[in-house]
Amino acid sequence: MTTPAPTVVPVDLADRSYDILIGPGLLAAAGDELARRFPGSRYAVITDETVAERHLDTVAASLTEAGLGFASIVVSPGEGSKSFETLESVVDGVLSARLERGDLLIALGGGVIGDLVGFAAGVVRRGMRFVQMPTTLLSQVDSSVGGKTGINTRHGKNLVGLFHQPALVMADTAALDTLDPRHLRAGYAEVVKYGLIDDAEFFDWLDANRAEIFAGGPARIGAIAASCRAKAEVVRIDETEQGPRALLNLGHTFGHAFETACDYDAERLVHGEAVAIGMALAHRFSARLNLVSPDDAARVAAHLSAAGLPTKISDIPGGVGSVDDLMRAIFQDKKVKRGRLTFILTRGVGEAFVADDVVPEQVRDFLEEELAG
Ligand code: GLY
């Protein structure tokens, strides 16, 4: 099978630079690509049971055909695998396979696998290289790029981890054909985020091309490539989130509070849905603070809604508890400085900014209104 030439998005980070390859058929072509880029290396392909069923044979056949040695490690699906226990089993599997420091781990799957494997790669033998092979839209446009890795603890999400950039990202867009529609929609929320942060033209393009993006084909690849370019640029200027990278958290402070309130129960709410509600709220909150016009806030909510995404707290099945619960989660999620909160707010579509002086009472009043509405 011939694979069309992928779109290549470079991530420019001096000696940690790497390419993001985007296109259909990349998993089936993985062996040749890896053999060319990392001659003489061996691999551990790490994935979860659900992704293994869909894609592990394809990757394994491709590696075998290219004459590459590899071990496979399969963990349980779901957020629960971002744990010390699963990390230990992955590390043990990598060491049992006798991978050396110059060898590579492959993260085949969604955000959970990417974060877990990236972290394992960062700590095994004091740092191994790894390849991201994201198989969900969310991981293709966000979590596989930029080197944030980590696991969860009982104190909260992603509280143990490190910045460890991958050596290569291979985003096989054909993998999205087997992704369930709910997860495709959820990943789309992170695509919209890039337009809302600083690219009104991209948001307009999404408005005009939403149906084509969901249908697949060139528009979808274009949306993924534009998202990766946007993320690569933010990561280039602020790899370790000292400043502007925080813009990528648009919608996430509210969103994480809802995920916490739902106990990270994916039946009720998945990350991208929480971000969609969070982004709609960030715009309405900005409107309440007279930073943005209510029309812009309504336009953003209408776009997300038309994509089948939730935009209101009442869209979350089972409710999210009281305003006190939400405020507690917000205080835990974000750094509080002298009693003020940091939020990503906006002055318009494509004009997001970091506001580090948000008064908690204003957030509380706003959430009370949203809960009532
Ligand atoms: N997902 C946010 C970031 O990578 O910074």
Side-chain angles (χ1 to χ4, degrees):
M1 191 183 84
T2 46
T3 311
T7 301
V8 182
V9 176
V11 184
D12 185 4
L13 286 170
D15 61 346
R16 295 174 314 292
S17 297
Y18 54 96
D19 285 337
I20 306 166
L21 310 184
I22 303 159
L26 289 175
L27 295 182
D32 287 342
E33 190 67 44
L34 297 175
R36 200 169 56 73
R37 287 182 182 252
F38 312 109
S41 297
R42 293 175 64 239
Y43 299 85
V45 184
I46 302 155
T47 189
D48 70 35
E49 285 153 11
T50 312
V51 179
E53 220 165 90
R54 289 180 193 157
H55 303 299
L56 184 54
D57 284 352
T58 307
V59 175
S62 172
L63 266 57
T64 303
E65 212 169 290
L68 306 181
F70 67 95
S72 304
I73 301 169
V74 181
V75 305
S76 302
E79 191 71 29
S81 283
K82 280 176 66 171
S83 64
F84 282 110
E85 205 187 350
T86 312
L87 175 71
E88 188 179 0
S89 74
V90 167
V91 168
D92 190 67
V94 171
L95 295 174
S96 299
R98 304 203 184 290
L99 258 65
E100 296 170 2
R101 204 163 176 211
D103 295 334
L104 290 96
L105 311 191
I106 294 175
L108 173 66
V112 167
I113 287 294
D115 286 6
L116 171 73
V117 174
F119 185 39
V123 295
V124 176
R125 299 195 189 280
R126 297 210 178 94
M128 294 178 67
R129 295 176 297 175
F130 77 114
V131 177
Q132 290 273 19
M133 293 190 188
T135 56
T136 63
L137 181 56
L138 189 130
S139 56
Q140 293 191 353
V141 298
D142 184 20
S143 58
S144 69
V145 176
K148 277 190 181 175
T149 75
I151 57 172
N152 305 329
T153 80
R154 70 185 176 84
H155 299 281
K157 281 234 312 174
N158 299 324
L159 291 180
V160 174
L162 35 76
F163 286 97
H164 184 51
Q165 299 293 342
L168 176 68
V169 179
M170 300 182 77
D172 185 339
T173 52
L176 305 181
D177 297 341
T178 53
L179 192 66
D180 70 88
R182 183 180 178 197
H183 283 93
L184 199 61
R185 290 195 294 271
Y188 181 73
E190 299 277 6
V191 175
V192 175
K193 184 182 78 176
Y194 295 108
L196 297 178
I197 290 174
D198 66 355
D199 194 345
E201 219 173 282
F202 182 50
F203 185 80
D204 291 344
W205 182 82
L206 293 174
D207 240 354
N209 292 279
R210 202 191 60 248
E212 286 81 355
I213 294 166
F214 276 90
R220 182 184 289 173
I221 295 175
I224 295 170
S227 301
C228 287
R229 267 185 218 107
K231 178 140 189 191
E233 179 55 14
V234 175
V235 170
R236 184 186 69 77
I237 56 179
D238 183 22
E239 183 181 4
T240 57
E241 201 169 307
Q242 305 303 310
R245 184 164 179 169
L247 291 170
L248 298 175
N249 297 332
L250 174 63
H252 283 58
T253 301
F254 286 126
H256 282 156
F258 303 140
E259 286 184 281
T260 304
C262 291
D263 242 347
Y264 290 93
D265 177 357
E267 296 288 316
R268 292 173 64 198
L269 192 68
V270 294
H271 179 67
E273 293 168 342
V275 169
I277 302 172
M279 291 192 302
L281 259 62
H283 282 74
R284 286 202 287 278
F285 185 45
S286 299
R288 197 176 202 272
L289 299 176
N290 292 320
L291 293 165
V292 74
S293 77
D295 285 355
D296 269 0
R299 184 175 171 225
V300 170
H303 182 89
L304 294 167
S305 214
L309 284 160
T311 58
K312 303 187 296 295
I313 299 178
S314 57
D315 291 335
I316 303 170
V320 291
S322 69
V323 74
D324 288 334
D325 298 332
L326 293 176
M327 288 307 289
R328 210 170 300 119
I330 284 171
F331 269 96
Q332 220 164 42
D333 186 60
K334 283 288 144 213
K335 274 194 288 251
V336 184
K337 266 197 222 142
R338 293 184 291 281
R340 304 282 173 116
L341 293 165
T342 300
F343 268 84
I344 311 305
L345 299 180
T346 186
R347 297 190 180 90
V349 168
E351 292 180 62
F353 66 98
V354 182
D356 56 10
D357 59 350
V358 175
V359 182
E361 286 69 34
Q362 287 180 318
V363 180
R364 164 183 280 277
D365 291 350
F366 169 70
L367 282 174
E368 250 161 13
E369 256 177 46
E370 289 282 330
L371 279 163

